[in-house]
């Protein structure tokens, strides 16, 4: 990520689409550095910088961190990577932008740096599949072990394989709660997808297939765009 203008990739997808899994696999294979804003928040808040204090002041009162602070945190990380990983093509940005205002702010911030976006990967999965994936989780009340009704069921229904404790479904994992979360996601991100589609950057990937197949589809779509930079 030298001074000549890095080419970054944004990865997007609803909860349950496997975005984090794919980002971790794909980034190193393409010479990108995975930058997840959720992880960045945790790292920054554990430090004692001016930015950390500003961000903590919002967290402590239960308020949303303003977009400009989130963007400042992200661009400071990109500055660090230019020194730490000069050989990298750019960053694989995960978790930002989440709405159109953030997308426009990111465009402006990258342009000011002389950077650009090479592609925006959107992992698409049918809504009913996402609901099945997200609403099937079971948790042991005793030891916290997790299961899935369909993909990783316990040997005995309702009973933890590890400790014999009672399994239950968290209130935010019910189909109704998952449906609400997905509705918010689609409402916020549809304009973002349109924004990037108009710019010719959007690449839709079928996420309703095995992990390895999704990985190969992402790599095939990105190789020419990233390596050309």
């Amino acid at each position: 990520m030298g001074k000549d203008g890095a080419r970054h990739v944004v990865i997007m997808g609803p909860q349950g689409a496997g975005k984090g899994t794919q980002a971790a696999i794909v980034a190193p294979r393409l010479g990108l550095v995975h930058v997840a804003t959720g992880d960045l928040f945790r790292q920054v808040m554990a430090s004692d910088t001016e930015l950390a204090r500003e961000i903590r002041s919002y967290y402590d009162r239960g308020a949303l961190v303003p977009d400009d602070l989130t963007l400042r945190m992200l661009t400071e990380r990109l500055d660090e990577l230019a020194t730490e990983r000069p050989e990298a093509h750019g960053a694989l940005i995960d978790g930002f932008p989440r709405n159109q205002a953030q997308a426009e702010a990111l465009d402006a911030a990258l342009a000011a740096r002389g950077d650009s976006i090479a592609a925006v990967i959107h992992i698409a999965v049918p809504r009913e599949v996402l609901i099945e994936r997200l609403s099937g989780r079971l948790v042991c009340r005793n030891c916290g072990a997790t299961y899935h009704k369909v993909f990783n069921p316990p040997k005995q229904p309702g009973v933890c394989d590890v400790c014999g404790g009672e399994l239950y479904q968290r209130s935010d994992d019910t189909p109704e709660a998952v449906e609400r979360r997905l509705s918010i996601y689609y409402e916020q991100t549809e304009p973002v997808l349109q924004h990037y589609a108009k710019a010719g950057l959007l690449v839709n990937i079928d996420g309703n297939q095995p992990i390895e197949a999704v990985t190969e589809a992402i790599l095939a779509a990105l190789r020419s765009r990233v390596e050309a930079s």
Side-chain angles (χ1 to χ4, degrees):
M1 284 178 64
K3 302 282 185 190
D4 54 347
R7 302 258 291 154
H8 307 292
V9 172
V10 173
I11 188 164
M12 299 180 65
Q15 294 137 317
K19 178 168 61 78
T21 299
Q22 292 298 335
I25 297 170
V26 164
R29 290 176 66 177
L30 289 168
L32 300 169
V33 182
H34 183 201
V35 176
T37 52
D39 293 340
L40 267 187
F41 272 120
R42 285 186 283 277
Q43 290 163 15
V44 169
M45 298 240 297
S47 64
D48 188 31
T49 62
E50 181 197 342
L51 178 61
R53 288 190 287 275
E54 284 187 62
I55 290 173
R56 259 197 306 272
S57 72
Y58 287 93
Y59 264 80
D60 290 347
R61 61 178 187 267
L64 286 173
V65 177
D67 289 351
D68 62 326
L69 269 189
T70 303
L71 197 52
R72 203 169 106 207
M73 177 185 73
L74 179 58
T75 53
E76 284 188 11
R77 181 59 183 144
L78 296 181
D79 287 340
E80 291 169 2
L81 289 174
T83 304
E84 292 171 13
R85 298 285 304 277
E87 80 289 353
H89 289 295
L92 180 62
I93 301 170
D94 173 4
F96 192 91
R98 293 177 182 270
N99 57 50
Q100 186 162 2
Q102 291 178 355
E104 290 168 359
L106 179 62
D107 288 349
L110 293 180
R113 299 167 58 82
D115 291 359
S116 59
I117 294 175
V120 176
I121 292 292
H122 175 239
I123 302 177
V125 178
R127 199 173 178 127
E128 63 274 14
V129 174
L130 291 171
I131 292 170
E132 181 183 43
R133 286 182 186 178
L134 292 165
S135 65
R137 185 165 59 168
L138 298 167
V139 184
C140 176
R141 287 191 193 278
N142 186 46
C143 73
T146 58
Y147 301 86
H148 192 283
K149 292 176 183 175
V150 178
F151 307 115
N152 180 31
K155 294 187 179 78
Q156 189 179 338
V159 179
C160 177
D161 294 351
V162 179
C163 72
E166 179 196 356
L167 301 182
Y168 75 105
Q169 185 170 55
R170 287 172 20 177
S171 59
D172 57 347
D173 287 337
T174 63
E176 297 75 23
V178 168
E179 181 76 61
R180 280 195 299 275
R181 289 212 304 272
L182 290 174
S183 292
I184 292 167
Y185 170 83
Y186 286 120
E187 188 179 312
Q188 289 185 335
T189 56
E190 191 55 43
V192 181
L193 299 178
Q194 290 174 8
H195 171 82
Y196 288 128
K198 282 179 192 163
L201 296 172
L202 186 66
V203 179
N204 285 303
I205 299 290
D206 177 9
N208 191 23
Q209 52 183 336
I211 289 172
E212 297 78 10
V214 177
T215 299
E216 286 308 316
I218 295 173
L219 290 172
L222 285 183
R223 275 196 186 102
S224 59
R225 292 177 182 244
V226 173
E227 292 170 5
S229 63

